[in-house]
Amino acid sequence: MREDEVLINLHQLRVFRTVARHMSFSRAAEDMILSQPAVSMHIKHLEETIGMPLFEKVGRQIYLTDAGTQLLEYSQRVFNALQETREAMSALQGGNAGRLRVAADTTAGAYVVPEYLGIFRQKFPRVDISLDVTNRRTVIERLLAREIDLAVIGQFPREEELEATPFLINELAVIAWPEHKLAHRQKIPLNALAKESFLMREEGSGTRATTEQFFGESGIRVRIGMELASNSAIKQAVAHGLGIAVVPRRAIELELRTGQLVILDVQGFPRVRYWHVVQLRDRFLAPPAAHFKNLLLSHSHPALGSMQAGGPHQE
């Protein structure tokens, strides 16, 4: 088949993507307000164009073939490119409507981003906003897949396709419950923590990676007593005397004021890191995303000015 004979219809691709999402011809028909025979016809024509089956049926369930799996991936790229085209055209018109898709790691999503989204909402009430709060690895994957416009994470990304700009200082502190034996000591040496039970986030957490790297470089092996899935769970566990932990200062402001937790005066702490706003290097930012990024940078700490301008930064 010659290249000019491969004429894939966008509507057929939409039908295919809908069937693949539901793994059901009938549910796809309901979703697209089409008859089921019409959906089947579009898939048949698409398979004839491709020259391979896209679905296989096992019992009453359908599954994607290898060709179907690859076509789904490429179709997503096509529709992402179309969306970027629409956003670029909207930018030329100077409109502030549209949508803003942000993902953040669990700490930034709970304690950083909502504040800025509130400011953004007041300035741009016509923009539809979505915020996905998940682990750092998933945030990066969604950004690379162009499923979101911007990401906010603590740990500097290593992927070459990404461009990260620091905008907010992130102080990491060692916390304990108020009756802990080290609670009232000053200038606690790091080796005094070697026998302590540390409560840690799951693998892939930026705070955990920073903590293990710092203690490892200091020749101290952290003894992990428990892994927990969120900072909220860690705070509760520390407050009940189950161990100590390293957490962002912004995550414990309330607990410090109410006396549920204390910060230990450990040498080398607080560790100063940064929250970063991240985008794809070659990604055109539609007006809502560009406005939100500018908002983050305009509210950043003055000390970060040279770093945002391209100066050295601490990862």
Side-chain angles (χ1 to χ4, degrees), residues 237-291:
V238 172
H240 286 85
L242 295 178
I244 65 175
V246 176
V247 297
R249 172 71 184 251
R250 286 180 70 99
I252 55 171
E253 296 293 346
L254 177 61
E255 288 78 11
L256 293 177
R257 288 197 299 268
T258 58
Q260 294 176 276
L261 297 171
V262 295
I263 293 178
L264 298 183
D265 184 14
V266 179
Q267 293 180 357
F269 282 88
R271 303 297 299 167
V272 176
R273 290 294 182 264
Y274 308 99
W275 271 293
H276 304 80
V277 56
V278 189
Q279 70 174 88
L280 281 169
R281 290 189 184 277
D282 63 348
R283 179 74 183 271
F284 169 84
L285 288 183
H291 289 323

Side-chain angles (χ1 to χ4, degrees), residues 15-217:
V15 173
F16 164 73
R17 190 174 62 162
T18 306
V19 174
R21 182 169 70 247
H22 293 297
M23 282 303 170
S24 166
F25 281 71
S26 60
R27 290 181 63 190
E30 293 175 4
D31 194 346
M32 301 191 73
I33 317 178
L34 295 172
S35 67
Q36 187 168 333
V39 170
S40 299
M41 179 189 68
H42 285 305
I43 297 301
K44 180 181 178 181
H45 288 170
L46 187 57
E47 289 178 331
E48 289 174 352
T49 301
I50 299 297
M52 291 177 287
L54 300 173
F55 296 96
E56 58 183 351
K57 190 172 184 180
V58 180
R60 301 183 64 180
Q61 181 65 44
I62 63 170
Y63 299 90
L64 285 170
T65 63
D66 289 343
T69 299
Q70 286 204 30
L71 182 61
L72 181 61
E73 178 183 340
Y74 281 105
S75 67
Q76 188 59 50
R77 296 184 191 179
V78 169
F79 289 113
N80 284 339
L82 287 173
Q83 177 61 32
E84 289 186 32
T85 301
R86 285 192 291 268
E87 291 170 350
M89 296 303 100
S90 175
L92 291 176
Q93 295 174 356
N96 290 328
R99 61 175 178 167
L100 170 64
R101 301 171 300 175
V102 182
D105 63 32
T106 50
T107 301
Y111 302 105
V112 177
V113 179
E115 175 185 348
Y116 292 97
L117 285 179
I119 299 172
F120 181 85
R121 169 66 78 195
Q122 292 178 2
K123 293 185 175 182
F124 305 101
R126 296 174 56 207
V127 174
D128 294 326
I129 301 173
S130 66
L131 171 62
D132 181 22
V133 181
T134 183
N135 61 68
R136 178 185 181 278
R137 184 178 295 110
T138 302
V139 170
I140 296 299
E141 288 174 354
R142 294 204 64 197
L143 192 58
L144 291 171
R146 297 174 179 260
E147 295 174 354
I148 56 173
D149 305 307
L150 295 169
V152 178
I153 58 176
Q155 192 175 11
F156 189 86
R158 300 291 183 179
E159 291 78 5
E160 293 183 357
E161 306 96 316
L162 302 181
E163 175 182 293
T165 308
F167 72 95
L168 186 67
I169 290 175
N170 176 20
E171 287 189 355
L172 301 181
V174 185
I175 61 170
W177 72 310
E179 303 304 318
H180 192 280
K181 62 185 178 181
L182 299 176
H184 303 291
R185 284 184 57 180
Q186 295 182 340
K187 297 182 179 179
I188 303 168
L190 284 177
N191 56 20
L193 304 182
K195 295 183 180 180
E196 295 295 325
S197 178
F198 274 81
L199 308 182
M200 289 279 199
R201 290 283 305 281
E202 72 285 358
E203 290 282 355
S205 160
T207 300
R208 174 170 178 163
T210 298
T211 300
E212 292 181 328
Q213 179 182 356
F214 173 70
F215 280 98
E217 291 173 351

Side-chain angles (χ1 to χ4, degrees), residues 7-22:
L7 301 175
I8 298 178
N9 184 290
L10 281 177
H11 181 63
Q12 291 174 353
L13 273 185
R14 288 192 182 92
V15 173
F16 164 73
R17 190 174 62 162
T18 306
V19 174
R21 182 169 70 247
H22 293 297

